[in-house]
Amino acid sequence: MVEAKEGFYYKLKGRLFGLLCEREKNGAWEKFLDTILIELYGLSKIEKTINYWPLIGKVSELRYLEYEYFRKTIFECMNIIEEMIKSE
């Protein structure tokens, strides 16, 4: 089960980087963001660790940030996910 969670976290990191790329090329980044949020909201209660709440808060606010802060927040989210991987 740990391998599945770790795989999910790595996939999520990749998706966040993909979201950054979508925003940079003025693609359909908002729809991409919605998909990521749906996945995060769908995690079971067991998966919602102390790192989950800052992650969901930051990802939820991405839609409203100017690019400079958007990019910074994406990398902060990726660092949170890395902490989640290490705590497994």
Side-chain angles (χ1 to χ4, degrees):
M1 187 69 147
V2 171
E3 290 175 12
K5 280 202 286 190
E6 190 174 306
F8 172 78
Y9 293 145
Y10 280 116
K11 178 183 172 189
L12 183 57
K13 275 181 69 174
R15 291 174 63 79
L16 286 170
F17 188 75
L19 176 64
L20 177 60
C21 294
E22 266 311 290
R23 174 100 188 245
E24 287 176 346
K25 67 179 186 178
N26 290 321
W29 68 271
E30 289 176 314
K31 289 181 181 182
F32 198 166
L33 174 59
D34 288 339
T35 302
I36 293 169
L37 283 168
I38 289 168
E39 288 181 11
L40 284 173
Y41 290 138
L43 289 176
S44 70
K45 290 181 182 180
I46 296 170
E47 307 299 320
K48 294 179 182 175
T49 64
I50 195 161
N51 288 318
Y52 171 82
W53 300 109
L55 177 64
I56 198 74
K58 288 177 182 290
V59 173
S60 296
E61 293 301 312
L62 286 171
R63 180 179 323 278
Y64 309 106
L65 299 177
E66 293 179 22
Y67 175 75
E68 175 186 352
Y69 301 106
F70 180 93
R71 180 178 164 79
K72 179 180 179 284
T73 304
I74 287 285
F75 286 108
E76 288 173 359
C77 290
M78 292 172 77
N79 287 335
I80 291 172
I81 294 168
E82 196 60 41
E83 288 178 28
M84 295 167 86
I85 293 168
K86 289 177 184 175
S87 68
E88 288 300 313

